[in-house]
Amino acid sequence: MSVKTTFAKIGTVAATGAALAVLGSGSAFAGGSGQQLRFYDTVGSTYSIRVAGWNQDGVYTTACFSTPVKDNYIGGWWWKGDLHWVGYHSEGCVGDVTVSERLDYVEPNQADDWWFIHS
């Protein structure tokens, strides 16, 4: 084995190790404190959802979110563990219920920041 081949193999091993370290740390960081919600309205009749569950600090909280389009990313709120939610036909979480109460379990750790729920 030549010196050139030996250095090429060492470089490949080092690059692979560095790439794995970066990828591993990125995925652990991405969803380590809970997940933000992505709500997909399969029917197109839900204009708000009321969500109740545990936030990233372990505090139980409830909030209402507008869901004006079919695919809604609800950022800035981090959830983990048991998550209860209800869909409403009107904004402001009032009026007719379009999705009866659902219970989801949000994994606190995953490679992505978004937890998918749908009507």
Side-chain angles (χ1 to χ4, degrees), residues 32-35 52-62 78-82 108:
S33 295
Q35 313 305 322
W54 302 97
N55 69 14
Q56 73 278 5
D57 297 321
V59 176
Y60 194 83
T61 188
T62 302
W78 297 82
W79 307 90
K80 60 183 177 179
D82 289 336

Side-chain angles (χ1 to χ4, degrees), residues 37 47-51 62-67 74-75 77 79 92-93:
L37 296 181
Y47 293 95
S48 62
I49 60 172
R50 179 168 309 282
V51 179
T62 302
C64 177
F65 301 100
S66 291
T67 55
I74 303 169
W77 290 71
W79 307 90
C93 297

Side-chain angles (χ1 to χ4, degrees), residues 5-6 8 26 35 41 48-49 51 54 62 64-65 76 82 85-86 92 96 98 105 110 113:
T5 304
T6 302
Q35 313 305 322
D41 185 4
S48 62
I49 60 172
V51 179
W54 302 97
T62 302
C64 177
F65 301 100
D82 289 336
W85 63 276
V86 177
D96 295 334
T98 57
Y105 181 81
Q110 68 174 18
D113 283 345

Side-chain angles (χ1 to χ4, degrees), residues 2-14:
S2 72
V3 172
K4 187 175 182 180
T5 304
T6 302
F7 280 125
K9 286 185 178 180
I10 291 171
T12 301
V13 169

